[in-house]
Amino acid sequence: MVGEQGGRDAFITEGFDNWSKKCSFRKHMELEKSNYEIRLRATIRSCRFLLKNALPFRGHDDREKSNNKGLFIELMSLVMFPKKEQMAIVLRYIDRHGIVNERFNGVVHVLDTSSLTLKAAIDTVFSNNNLSMAQERGQGYDGANNMSGAFNGLKSMILNENNDAHYIHCFAHQLQLVVVAVVKKHDGVDEFFEQLALVVTVVYGSCKRKDMI
């Protein structure tokens, strides 16, 4: 039936030799090959990282709508799409026993870093986790204008919805700025952090060395 409808058994018996756009077909093959190589390299790099650090590949829920699909899938998305803008979200809360907990919720891909886009992404994360903005009691970012701007920043947009969501400049970011400034002026501090980085790399490269420390 297929041969009769097409007028010729091109793909069945005779073979197809009248392709009018050979260049387009060749470009398509090259593009597919390039995409395959990108996926293969990303897979190998992700596997090496997880194996080197003795980390699990799978998570509890790897479905498409899951906020955390497991380390392998999440790492693959970061390795394959490094040019995308990303926002890391960490939630800090007090449990029923009065203990402060901090949980890394995940990395959210955003089209840009405007305050409107970031606010929409946060609203989506809150909605997916059945959280309410009215329960928020604090927010912390770096000092960029799109985050901490007094009028159009993300901080202000959230405060407009909840006056109790007090803004605090991210302490980790402040500490990083201090360390960078000191390192630039003192060679001894620069050498200290360089050696510290080497020690951390060596120790965390082996489970046995980690246990010894």
Side-chain angles (χ1 to χ4, degrees):
M1 292 296 294
V2 175
E4 294 177 1
Q5 291 178 356
R8 166 184 183 196
D9 293 335
F11 292 102
I12 302 175
T13 58
E14 301 175 11
F16 194 80
D17 58 1
N18 191 27
W19 188 266
S20 61
K21 297 182 179 180
K22 295 181 179 179
C23 293
S24 298
F25 185 67
R26 195 172 295 111
K27 289 181 179 179
H28 174 73
M29 290 180 60
E30 292 175 356
L31 179 62
E32 286 298 311
K33 180 180 178 181
S34 176
N35 290 335
Y36 172 79
E37 290 176 351
I38 292 175
R39 289 191 292 269
L40 180 60
R41 284 196 295 268
T43 302
I44 294 174
R45 290 171 62 186
S46 299
C47 290
R48 282 179 173 175
F49 176 82
L50 294 175
L51 291 172
K52 181 179 179 180
N53 294 277
L55 296 172
F57 278 60
R58 297 192 62 181
H60 296 293
D61 185 1
D62 56 4
R63 292 177 296 179
E64 184 64 30
K65 294 183 179 181
S66 174
N67 291 321
N68 189 349
K69 302 179 181 63
L71 291 179
F72 178 72
I73 296 179
E74 296 292 340
L75 186 58
M76 279 284 291
S77 65
L78 294 177
V79 173
M80 289 190 63
F81 307 105
K83 293 180 181 182
K84 285 188 175 182
E85 296 289 354
Q86 301 167 347
M87 175 174 61
I89 297 181
V90 178
L91 300 177
R92 181 179 296 167
Y93 62 94
I94 301 177
D95 62 20
R96 66 184 63 184
H97 303 293
I99 299 175
V100 178
N101 296 272
E102 192 172 82
R103 294 290 182 269
F104 174 66
N105 185 267
V107 177
V108 180
H109 296 291
V110 291
L111 296 177
D112 54 67
T113 56
S114 66
S115 55
L116 288 173
T117 301
L118 298 179
K119 177 62 166 58
I122 291 177
D123 288 340
T124 300
V125 171
F126 269 55
S127 177
N128 292 339
N129 289 275
N130 297 320
L131 299 174
S132 172
M133 193 67 70
Q135 297 177 310
E136 188 178 358
R137 293 297 176 266
Q139 51 178 321
Y141 322 103
D142 58 28
N145 187 61
N146 64 325
M147 308 296 276
S148 60
F151 300 101
N152 298 319
L154 178 60
K155 171 196 72 174
S156 302
M157 297 178 68
I158 292 179
L159 284 173
N160 289 335
E161 293 187 22
N162 181 3
N163 292 329
D164 295 327
H166 301 289
Y167 168 73
I168 300 174
H169 192 145
C170 176
F171 178 77
H173 184 252
Q174 289 180 320
L175 180 60
Q176 181 185 16
L177 295 177
V178 171
V179 171
V180 171
V182 173
V183 165
K184 288 182 178 179
K185 295 183 178 181
H186 299 279
D187 295 337
V189 178
D190 186 12
E191 183 178 354
F192 167 76
F193 280 104
E194 182 178 353
Q195 295 298 323
L196 180 62
L198 292 174
V199 171
V200 172
T201 301
V202 171
V203 171
Y204 276 82
S206 166
C207 295
K208 292 182 179 179
R209 287 194 288 266
K210 285 170 58 177
D211 293 338
M212 290 174 62
I213 294 296

